[in-house]
Amino acid sequence: YAALSYCWGGPQPYMATQAVAEKPIDFSGLGRTIQDAIVGTENLGLQYLWVDAICIAQHDDTEKAIEIGKMADIYQGSYITISAARAASYQEGFLSPYDTDQEVRITLKVKCPDGKVSSIILQEHREQPPKGNDFGPVMDRAWCLQEHVLAPRVLIYTSSALHFCCRTHIRSDSMNVVGGGSNFQPNALAALRKGGKTTMEAWQSIVAEFAKRSITVESDRLPAISAVAQ
């Protein structure tokens, strides 16, 4: 299964509540970000998608507490986590065309080994990284930190590129290749997995990053990092 990491940006039109739990899900009634995640999951050939707003009963505080306690298992157990990094809310989606200031952009048709016709996009390589935070709004959200740290693989949809991040490398369709972790996955945890830091040093570094991030409900601070602690 895939798991979705995204910014809610406010109450969603469809959440798992007692009133809707027994009804079929209407795709058109879902937020654009969740719609895009469903499309992405299908295109990856996966059958299941885990979305917190739909998979956790939002009206049941007891269930919410139990499910939050399972976050480590949910994200570590996912085949891949889809990060809607460019979307500030459930309404925005993340599969729209890139925002880019690169001057040269050429699309070429290619024939794949299976006989299907696809395309390759060639664009001018930008020597300097884009100004600001290319990883988008999710880097400011406390809940998203543990979702990305724990996932074995993350597809990160930013406004200018698609990044694939695993526990050792990050690859990008903008041709940037970085070895040994990434600026998206906290270096402390990556180093801990390699034996480069003590557990306390790694934990202190992660907490420092976590403390910078915003959270809608302040009482969620401890639950939002509990999976990393686990």
Side-chain angles (χ1 to χ4, degrees), residues 119-199:
S119 59
I120 292 177
I121 297 175
L122 303 179
Q123 60 187 29
E124 183 180 15
H125 181 57
R126 183 164 47 190
E127 294 296 334
Q128 297 297 323
K131 294 181 179 179
N133 173 23
D134 182 47
F135 285 116
V138 297
M139 285 294 285
D140 299 324
R141 301 299 298 166
W143 278 106
C144 293
L145 182 141
Q146 68 178 15
E147 295 167 3
H148 298 113
V149 167
L150 295 170
R153 307 168 190 84
V154 189
L155 270 178
I156 310 162
Y157 290 83
T158 75
S159 59
S160 61
L162 172 63
H163 305 279
F164 172 79
C165 178
C166 66
R167 290 174 177 171
T168 56
H169 292 80
I170 184 168
R171 296 289 187 268
S172 169
D173 63 3
S174 62
M175 298 182 292
N176 296 319
V177 178
V178 180
S182 74
N183 60 346
F184 195 76
Q185 184 181 37
N187 291 331
L189 198 63
L192 178 62
R193 289 194 174 102
K194 296 178 180 180
K197 283 181 177 286
T198 67
T199 302

Side-chain angles (χ1 to χ4, degrees), residues 1-3 50 66-81 146-147 149-152 167 226-230:
Y1 65 93
W50 190 91
I66 293 172
E67 294 301 314
I68 287 173
K70 298 178 182 177
M71 289 297 101
D73 293 333
I74 288 170
Y75 282 95
Q76 285 187 110
S78 68
Y79 178 75
I80 198 163
T81 288
Q146 68 178 15
E147 295 167 3
V149 167
L150 295 170
R167 290 174 177 171
S226 61
V228 176
Q230 181 180 330

